[in-house]
Amino acid sequence: MTLRTAVIGVGHLGRHHARLHAALTEENRVELVSVCDANEDTARTKAAEFKTNWTCDWSSLVGKVDAVSLAVPTESHCEIAVELLKTGIHVLVEKPIARTLEEADRMIAAAEQGNAILQIGHLERFNPAMTALHPHVSNPVYFEIHRVGAFTARSLDIDVVLDLMIHDLDIVQWLVGEDVEVTEVRAVGIPVLTSRVDAANARIEFSSGAVANITASRIGTEKIRKMRFFQPHDYIAVDYSTHYAAISSLVLGNNSSGAPGVNYRKLEVQEVEPLRAEIEAFVSAVLGNSPSPVSGADGRRALGLALRVLDHIEAHTSHPQLAGLADFVPRA
């Protein structure tokens, strides 16, 4: 059987999901049955572009598709995903998994009820630099991460922690180890151009002794997606934007004097569009060829840490010198 798919929400990001579902259709790997969007003009336009059907009613897809990409605003993730998952439709939902842990739990329970796969769109796990690097990660100790973007009018329904920083919160927990506990969180953040947090910094400490210092901003003048971290005898650098990954390692007795030296290795990267890799992994999991690489539990873990960061940002705004700032930091 050919896997029947649909894309729900074909706006800024969803249209790329639709493009890739259409490409996989041309390769006879799936059949893009329909695109869905609350805006009829958008739905019609994208359906014509990708040579498929359209609808404005996502519930009409039940019984017609086997799997969907869900790229709607976060506030609608739970409602739509739960109803689809309960019927056995597999769902790839964009990050964050939901607004609250309670909503995430409902989605995970619905996936279990419908024996369906719930995969979360933490895209950086599929970045070619991260794919090349991951096998070399053993015991990370200290992370320094910067994720900065220029201001845009999209994703303003959530703050920068759930919009941008959550990528790095997921990656750090993944690299440190899913069973390693977060022992302390400290964070600051401020609204600048919106009523939500637009710039934030978080310091995360783990039971393994690892520490991560993460800065995220959506009011920069340039795009920065860089991570640096150390593990015993290694310094590792990643640039998500350019798909660059390199390891500088200590080498004992590197020269005739017996003094230590440094061995620099730029990792060989297999270029692939991260979103395509993500969707292909989802399709493979649905077909039973491999487990889902980013489960609902993974998405819940990242959301839980993001909400802890937001709690500390909210607490920080109670500082006397920041009086009144809390009025501009509404919770998601």
Side-chain angles (χ1 to χ4, degrees), residues 251-261:
V251 179
L252 298 177
N254 189 52
N255 52 42
S256 58
S257 67

Side-chain angles (χ1 to χ4, degrees), residues 42-174:
T42 300
R44 285 179 176 272
T45 299
K46 295 307 173 185
E49 180 179 353
F50 300 119
K51 301 176 183 178
T52 188
N53 301 309
W54 66 272
T55 181
C56 293
D57 179 13
W58 58 265
S59 65
S60 68
L61 297 171
V62 175
K64 299 177 182 178
V65 301
D66 307 302
V68 304
S69 280
L70 183 57
V72 299
T74 306
E75 62 187 18
S76 299
H77 284 186
C78 182
E79 175 192 1
I80 299 174
V82 164
E83 293 305 313
L84 296 178
L85 290 163
K86 286 195 302 186
T87 68
I89 295 175
H90 309 281
V91 176
L92 166 59
V93 61
E94 272 301 328
K95 60 79 193 165
I97 182 175
R99 293 176 298 179
T100 67
L101 294 179
E102 185 273 335
E103 287 185 349
D105 288 338
R106 287 176 56 198
M107 293 166 67
I108 293 169
E112 294 176 353
Q113 178 183 343
N115 193 29
I117 288 173
L118 171 61
Q119 181 171 314
I120 316 305
H122 283 290
L123 190 63
E124 296 294 30
R125 293 207 193 187
F126 301 90
N127 189 289
M130 185 53 59
T131 301
L133 174 64
H134 190 252
H136 301 279
V137 179
S138 57
N139 182 26
V141 175
Y142 175 71
F143 295 84
E144 189 71 36
I145 304 172
H146 291 84
R147 184 174 295 268
V148 179
F151 181 77
T152 66
R154 67 178 188 87
S155 298
L156 299 185
D157 59 318
I158 55 177
D159 56 77
V160 74
V161 176
L162 292 173
D163 182 19
L164 296 181
M165 185 183 286
I166 196 168
H167 282 296
D168 302 302
L169 297 175
D170 172 67
I171 287 293
V172 166
Q173 289 187 104
W174 183 44

Side-chain angles (χ1 to χ4, degrees), residues 184-199:
E184 186 172 359
V185 175
R186 297 180 183 179
V188 296
I190 58 172
V192 180
L193 299 179
T194 76
S195 61
R196 297 182 180 270
V197 175
D198 294 316

Side-chain angles (χ1 to χ4, degrees), residues 271-282:
E271 288 296 339
V272 62
E273 183 180 356
L275 184 58
R276 181 183 177 103
E278 178 182 88
I279 293 173
E280 288 180 334
F282 175 58

